[in-house]
Amino acid sequence: MHPSQRTRRFPMPRRPKRKSNLLIPLILVGLFLYIANKDKSDKRGKPTRSNDAHAMDRTQYPDGPDGTRLALQDGLEKATFKERQLQRKKAGFETELKEIDQLLREFKTAYKAAQGGSPWPVPVRGRDYNEVQLTSKVQTLLAHQEDRAERIRLVEQQIQSTTEIMNMYSTKLDEFELALARQETEREKARIRDLSTEADEWITEKADDVAPIEEETTGSVRSLEDIMEAEEKLKNAQPVVSQQTLQFLSGPQ
């Protein structure tokens, strides 16, 4: 047979491969694992306890060493937060005291000028003061000066006390965590129980000392209108000037 007369064979078309029945379940399993891992990652990223004054209440802690450790951690956080509050409070009082000191210097300069021959009333920060008004303002400012100095002294005492408590919390926490890491023998476990009982009692005793203070307005000198505004009733009245005021105004510049 001539080669041209041979039957030509065409390649058989390939049958399409059937999709595996396992593909969809594998996709679902992968999706499930992704969601589960993402959820765990999110939980790890979110703090379980606040790092400020809103730490957990003592009644919410579990019994035993784990609860004691959480209580110590929260106590340290609260003490640290309170110490920052007190530092801000002190800084506010110090700012006000500086403003009072500056005002007193300006009133004293004006008073000295009047004593040296300048006519009354004398100007202070754009306002005119006669002698009665000026001595009244100086007397008020001296009272505020004493008040702010006393407040600073008291806040410094609170800061010192809070810092000591904060250091104690830190020391007890380090000691407790070290004991937990070594709890291999019955003797060490008994020590942990003793430390836990002691720490719980100490935390209860110091609870009020680390409670956050209420943010308060201190009455800044800049908002004390009675210091800077002239009082009509004092224009013609005889001032009752304290010896402290006279000594201040008569003292060296």
Side-chain angles (χ1 to χ4, degrees):
M1 181 182 293
H2 194 275
S4 62
Q5 294 179 340
R6 293 176 181 172
T7 304
R8 300 180 63 181
R9 295 181 179 180
F10 294 94
M12 294 293 292
R14 293 181 180 179
R15 290 181 297 176
K17 293 183 178 180
R18 290 184 299 173
K19 294 183 178 179
S20 174
N21 294 331
L22 294 176
L23 182 59
I24 293 177
L26 286 174
I27 293 175
L28 293 176
V29 170
L31 183 61
F32 172 80
L33 292 175
Y34 170 79
I35 294 174
N37 289 332
K38 187 175 185 299
D39 183 62
K40 289 181 180 179
S41 176
D42 291 341
K43 287 182 179 179
R44 285 195 298 268
K46 293 179 181 178
T48 57
R49 294 178 297 110
S50 173
N51 57 356
D52 59 16
H54 305 292
M56 289 191 302
D57 295 333
R58 183 70 183 96
T59 54
Q60 297 179 358
Y61 300 151
D63 294 332
D66 289 338
T68 301
R69 178 169 54 186
L70 288 176
L72 286 170
Q73 290 172 343
D74 287 344
L76 177 59
E77 290 172 359
K78 288 181 179 179
T80 303
F81 179 77
K82 183 174 183 178
E83 195 269 344
R84 292 197 193 103
Q85 282 187 304
L86 291 170
Q87 290 289 0
R88 289 195 299 268
K89 190 174 183 180
K90 177 187 174 185
F93 287 144
E94 288 175 338
T95 299
E96 293 171 13
L97 187 58
K98 288 179 182 178
E99 177 66 9
I100 290 172
D101 292 342
Q102 180 59 35
L103 275 170
L104 283 171
R105 284 194 292 269
E106 293 178 22
F107 275 114
K108 190 171 187 176
T109 299
Y111 181 82
K112 292 284 189 182
Q115 295 297 100
S118 297
W120 292 97
V122 292
V124 177
R125 294 196 178 185
R127 296 172 184 260
D128 290 334
Y129 292 86
N130 60 32
E131 186 173 4
V132 173
Q133 293 168 336
L134 187 145
T135 53
S136 174
K137 298 307 175 186
V138 169
Q139 192 160 293
T140 301
L141 282 169
L142 288 173
H144 281 292
Q145 186 186 51
E146 289 182 359
D147 174 77
R148 293 304 184 263
E150 177 65 13
R151 287 173 183 249
I152 290 174
R153 186 185 68 82
L154 293 175
V155 170
E156 285 176 341
Q157 290 180 350
Q158 289 180 292
I159 291 174
Q160 181 180 359
S161 176
T162 304
T163 301
E164 291 174 356
I165 293 173
M166 186 171 62
N167 292 336
M168 282 297 297
Y169 265 110
S170 181
T171 300
K172 285 183 177 292
L173 180 60
D174 290 343
E175 183 182 30
F176 196 76
E177 289 184 334
L178 180 61
L180 287 176
R182 292 178 174 176
Q183 56 176 336
E184 297 176 356
T185 67
E186 289 301 322
R187 183 178 178 181
E188 290 168 342
K189 292 178 181 179
R191 171 169 167 74
I192 290 173
R193 288 193 294 269
D194 293 340
L195 285 173
S196 180
T197 301
E198 177 190 348
D200 287 343
E201 294 174 353
W202 187 82
I203 290 167
T204 302
E205 179 186 344
K206 299 298 181 182
D208 292 338
D209 294 334
V210 297
I213 62 175
E214 293 185 4
E215 298 287 354
E216 59 183 31
T217 56
T218 58
S220 173
V221 173
R222 290 183 177 84
S223 66
L224 293 174
E225 294 298 325
D226 62 305
I227 291 180
M228 296 302 297
E229 289 182 353
E231 299 178 24
E232 294 294 328
K233 63 180 181 180
L234 292 177
K235 283 185 176 180
N236 300 315
Q238 291 296 324
V240 180
V241 184
S242 68
Q243 189 66 26
Q244 180 190 21
T245 303
L246 292 175
Q247 288 176 350
F248 172 80
L249 290 172
S250 302
Q253 189 69 31

